[in-house]
Amino acid sequence: KQWYQRRVAITAGIAAGAQMYSNYTGQLRCLDLDSDPAGDLGMTGWDFQACLEMILPISSNRSTDMFPDEQFDLESYVAYCEERWNSTARPFWLKYYFGGGDGYDFSGFSNIFFSNGRLDPWAVGGTALILDEDICLSDCPNVLIEDGAHHLDLRSSNPADPESVLMARKLEVEAIKRWTSPPATKVEL
């Protein structure tokens, strides 16, 4: 009986999450999880960018996650992207353009503000573990936003914003002011 009640509670939680996303008005009698109730929300642009510049090889296996078995197949994904966008997919463009490989190498860059939210499901691919500001040529602050998720610091202010997000925004504004202010001394070439 306890096993059954636990399964019912888990299923009810999943259903509540689906209702919150797909039936936020409470007007639908049946959920169509294949439709996007909020409209496009820029997903077409994301699909284009993910196809041509930021291919993310994501797989699932039911052993380490809750999703059905699906192995990422680069060849099939590139074919989809090229057919969908009538353009050449560049699976390794991000790495070649910005550098990368095993670890991060930002030694030739400057004026980059790294912000990562600890609650962000994408944080594993971020720079959350880089805390040394000397990782690049000059002025590359890095902040880990304890109570933030995916680019919450870049969204409009909200009365519910946690203090860690407010602090990140303050640091971002300070950095941008440094980068855009005229130099204190004249630079001779």
Side-chain angles (χ1 to χ4, degrees):
K1 181 173 173 129
Q2 188 177 23
W3 172 87
Y4 176 76
Q5 289 174 333
R6 184 167 178 257
R7 296 286 181 175
V8 168
I10 290 170
T11 304
I14 292 170
Q19 285 282 344
M20 181 179 69
Y21 178 74
S22 297
N23 190 17
Y24 56 89
T25 64
Q27 302 300 310
L28 297 177
R29 292 189 60 215
C30 183
L31 300 183
D32 179 1
L33 298 179
D34 291 326
S35 70
D36 188 347
D40 184 84
L41 291 180
M43 291 310 292
T44 301
W46 171 250
D47 187 54
F48 177 81
Q49 187 175 25
C51 270
L52 302 181
E53 296 176 347
M54 297 179 63
I55 293 177
L56 303 172
I58 299 173
S59 298
S60 54
N61 61 23
R62 280 190 95 73
S63 297
T64 58
D65 55 55
M66 65 180 201
F67 302 103
D69 287 335
E70 186 173 345
Q71 293 303 310
F72 181 77
D73 178 359
L74 180 61
E75 189 174 311
S76 297
Y77 189 75
V78 166
Y80 156 77
C81 292
E82 291 182 352
E83 181 180 332
R84 170 77 168 94
W85 296 106
N86 193 28
S87 191
T88 303
R90 301 178 291 177
F92 306 105
W93 176 83
L94 194 65
K95 177 181 175 182
Y96 293 135
Y97 191 79
F98 291 107
D102 296 332
Y104 298 97
D105 179 12
F106 299 107
S107 59
F109 298 98
S110 64
N111 298 2
I112 302 171
F113 195 101
F114 295 101
S115 66
N116 288 277
R118 188 169 300 280
L119 304 179
D120 188 345
W122 297 101
V124 70
T127 55
L129 300 179
I130 302 173
L131 300 176
D132 183 4
E133 291 190 17
D134 295 329
I135 61 170
C136 65
L137 195 58
S138 69
D139 205 1
C140 293
N142 184 356
V143 63
L144 180 60
I145 305 169
E146 289 294 329
D147 303 308
H150 198 61
H151 57 69
L152 179 60
D153 52 321
L154 302 179
R155 295 182 180 270
S156 298
S157 294
N158 183 300
D161 286 337
E163 186 62 35
S164 59
V165 172
L166 300 176
M167 181 55 70
R169 287 187 186 132
K170 181 178 182 232
L171 294 172
E172 289 162 353
V173 168
E174 289 171 3
I176 292 168
K177 284 181 179 178
R178 275 193 314 274
W179 301 336
T180 58
S181 296
T185 58
K186 185 176 180 180
V187 177
E188 296 291 333
L189 297 177

